[in-house]
Amino acid sequence: MKTVKHILLALTFAVALPAAAITLDAARNQGLVGEANSGYIAVVDQSSAELEQLVAEVNAKRKREYTAIAKRNGISVAQVAARAAEKLEARLPPGAYYQDNRGRWVQK
């Protein structure tokens, strides 16, 4: 019986931990990450393992999408990312951070 309880407890934690991970919106709203002028997200100030994981996951997804768009349109991934950066910056809510063309973090 104790073994069953331990297994159920372990499963509960296994399911609950991924849900506790920070989301892009939450990190952006807290000013932890911002839209870099490269079309990807970056940590604004102090990093953590959780933020680094979020940044890596979001940027990997964006790179896959940018690569697909670039291939469809016969342009470079850098061109797609640069255009995406402009669009993402324009859609940011007030208070969110983005990098200006000099690489400085600016709050919208």
Side-chain angles (χ1 to χ4, degrees):
M1 189 65 162
K2 276 190 173 183
T3 305
V4 173
K5 286 182 183 179
H6 287 225
I7 292 172
L8 289 175
L9 184 61
L11 286 173
T12 301
F13 283 119
V15 171
L17 287 178
I22 193 164
T23 65
L24 175 58
D25 287 337
R28 187 182 287 138
N29 291 340
Q30 293 174 38
L32 301 173
V33 299
E35 292 295 334
N37 57 16
S38 62
Y40 298 95
I41 65 167
V43 175
V44 173
D45 190 18
Q46 294 184 350
S47 188
S48 69
E50 187 179 26
L51 282 179
E52 291 299 327
Q53 182 179 352
L54 173 68
V55 168
E57 289 172 4
V58 170
N59 288 342
K61 289 176 186 176
R62 286 187 180 185
K63 186 168 186 172
R64 282 193 299 274
E65 186 63 28
Y66 295 168
T67 300
I69 293 168
K71 189 174 183 177
R72 279 195 310 266
N73 293 288
I75 58 178
S76 73
V77 174
Q79 289 173 301
V80 174
R83 182 67 179 125
E86 293 171 4
K87 289 183 176 184
L88 289 163
E89 179 187 325
R91 288 188 267 166
L92 285 175
Y97 284 91
Y98 67 93
Q99 272 185 331
D100 65 13
N101 59 359
R102 292 184 177 178
R104 297 175 298 199
W105 288 109
V106 179
Q107 198 169 16
K108 190 168 184 183

